[in-house]
Amino acid sequence: MRVLLVNGSPHEKGCTYTALDEVAETLKREGIETETFWIGTKPLSGCIACGTCGRTGRCVFDDKVNAFLEIVGNYDGFVFGSPVHFASAGGAITSFMDRVFFADLCSGKQSFYLKPAAAVVSARRAGTTATYDQMNKYFALMQMPIIPSNYWNMVHGFTPEDVKQDLEGLQIMRILGRNMAWFLKIKEAGIKLEVPFPEKEEHIQTNFIR
């Protein structure tokens, strides 16, 4: 079993990475393989609603989004991390998640279907809960079980050294890692017992104005 941790910060080894690394180390101790995907610092455009992804399964902008879409099938769970920018997720990770999940929806691949996911948020001081809510909405739409901890998945600090002093925040990350590992093991056991996946229905889309 493998979990991919997505670092949505412009800082490769900053506060968000420090939180994600605590989750990763816990997952490894639970026998789960992990890798980290950094979205980098190159500009990431927002979705332009061109429809290319629905025809090809790839975004018209050939950047980290397509690199990510190429590997998602190799992983059983995901943790997305973001710093707080103006009480919301950073612009780059927001554009990244918009395009990744929209491309998967439009292509019909369902690469994320019933794969567990979690959001991890890093802030100096405030805006964490709004960002946490924002990120979880992606997972709910994609039918991804959302993995919790014993508190909202957040750490506080201006530097990685500050985050390492947030003992409660680090504990939240460790509990998140153990909960993710437990869910993955339960899912694997269910598959081995041939417990069927939920019955699917054809999607109904209702427009409010006719």
Side-chain angles (χ1 to χ4, degrees), residues 64-77:
K64 284 292 187 79
V65 169
N66 282 337
F68 184 78
L69 288 170
E70 289 173 1
I71 63 173
V72 291
N74 300 327
Y75 297 91
D76 306 291

Side-chain angles (χ1 to χ4, degrees), residues 114-127:
L114 293 184
K115 291 183 179 181
V120 164
V121 179
S122 168
R124 183 191 68 83
R125 186 169 180 85

Side-chain angles (χ1 to χ4, degrees), residues 3-72:
V3 170
L4 186 60
L5 300 101
V6 181
N7 181 2
S9 171
H11 302 290
E12 185 175 9
K13 296 293 178 71
C15 296
T16 302
Y17 169 84
T18 303
L20 290 172
D21 190 56
E22 192 76 9
V23 179
E25 290 302 316
T26 303
L27 284 166
K28 291 173 187 175
R29 287 194 290 271
E30 293 290 329
I32 308 296
E33 295 181 34
T34 69
E35 290 184 30
T36 300
F37 184 98
W38 181 42
I39 68 170
T41 56
K42 292 183 178 180
L44 286 166
S45 171
C47 177
I48 61 171
C50 65
T52 299
C53 59
R55 298 189 299 272
T56 67
R58 293 173 57 84
C59 184
V60 69
F61 299 117
D62 194 15
D63 53 19
K64 284 292 187 79
V65 169
N66 282 337
F68 184 78
L69 288 170
E70 289 173 1
I71 63 173
V72 291

Side-chain angles (χ1 to χ4, degrees), residues 156-169:
H156 290 84
F158 189 62
T159 66
E161 291 70 28
D162 291 342
V163 172
K164 291 175 182 177
Q165 295 181 62
D166 180 7
L167 299 184
E168 182 178 2

Side-chain angles (χ1 to χ4, degrees), residues 113-141:
Y113 178 62
L114 293 184
K115 291 183 179 181
V120 164
V121 179
S122 168
R124 183 191 68 83
R125 186 169 180 85
T128 48
T129 54
T131 303
Y132 183 64
D133 291 343
Q134 173 191 345
M135 296 177 74
N136 279 329
K137 288 182 173 67
Y138 291 97
F139 312 142
L141 180 64

